[in-house]
Amino acid sequence: MKKFDIVVSMQRQDHPEGYYDGDRYGVRPIFPNHPDFHWSEDNFGPLWIPKKGATIQLTTANLPLYQRAISVYEGHSVKVEGDRILIDGQAATSYTFEQDYYWMMGDNRHNSLDSRYWGFVPEDHVVGKASFVWLSHKESLFNL
């Protein structure tokens, strides 16, 4: 690209772990916005996405990833007392999800406010449907 006359300058954007970017939206904390997760928009995960009926072992280490889904989207109170996790006042070492979740990614990698910033999206928050495939190299996708 540097060889093209119309290119004035180029700068690689590969953000290290824990990188927070300040841009026109202000500082964008990376999900789950917890000091134990040093992820960036370029260096993210690994991450398991919850699905309806799936059970996960809960620990204080992985709770920041799933606490919002359990409390905000599934309506349970979540508290931590020392090393114990309480869901609706009862000690819990596991949790079974009540709905499917999605990980939504934008197509403009460094200028998309997507799941890397706000986390899981519950199925009941997804609006719309795909009506066509813009481009695919897999023939089977053209036969929706």
Side-chain angles (χ1 to χ4, degrees), residues 24-133:
R24 65 182 171 172
Y25 302 108
V27 174
R28 299 183 297 179
I30 304 295
F31 175 81
N33 194 18
H34 189 275
D36 290 346
F37 295 86
H38 303 284
W39 298 343
S40 74
E41 58 204 353
D42 293 318
N43 294 287
F44 198 94
L47 180 69
W48 176 80
I49 300 170
K51 63 182 180 176
K52 184 176 184 176
T55 301
I56 188 169
Q57 295 303 307
L58 284 179
T59 65
T60 54
N62 71 4
L63 184 62
L65 297 171
Y66 305 105
Q67 184 169 354
R68 181 171 172 79
I70 295 168
S71 63
V72 174
Y73 300 132
E74 302 203 351
H76 300 283
S77 70
V78 179
K79 292 183 182 176
V80 176
E81 291 180 354
D83 289 337
R84 290 181 16 164
I85 298 169
L86 302 174
I87 297 179
D88 296 331
Q90 301 294 316
T93 58
S94 65
Y95 181 78
T96 301
F97 289 91
E98 300 168 11
Q99 60 182 317
D100 287 320
Y101 290 85
Y102 294 88
W103 192 256
M104 306 296 227
M105 292 291 295
D107 63 350
N108 188 348
R109 184 176 176 85
H110 286 110
N111 288 309
S112 287
L113 294 179
D114 53 28
S115 283
R116 293 171 295 171
Y117 303 97
W118 19 269
F120 305 114
V121 178
E123 186 170 40
D124 65 358
H125 283 52
V126 177
V127 179
K129 74 176 194 177
S131 57
F132 66 92
V133 176

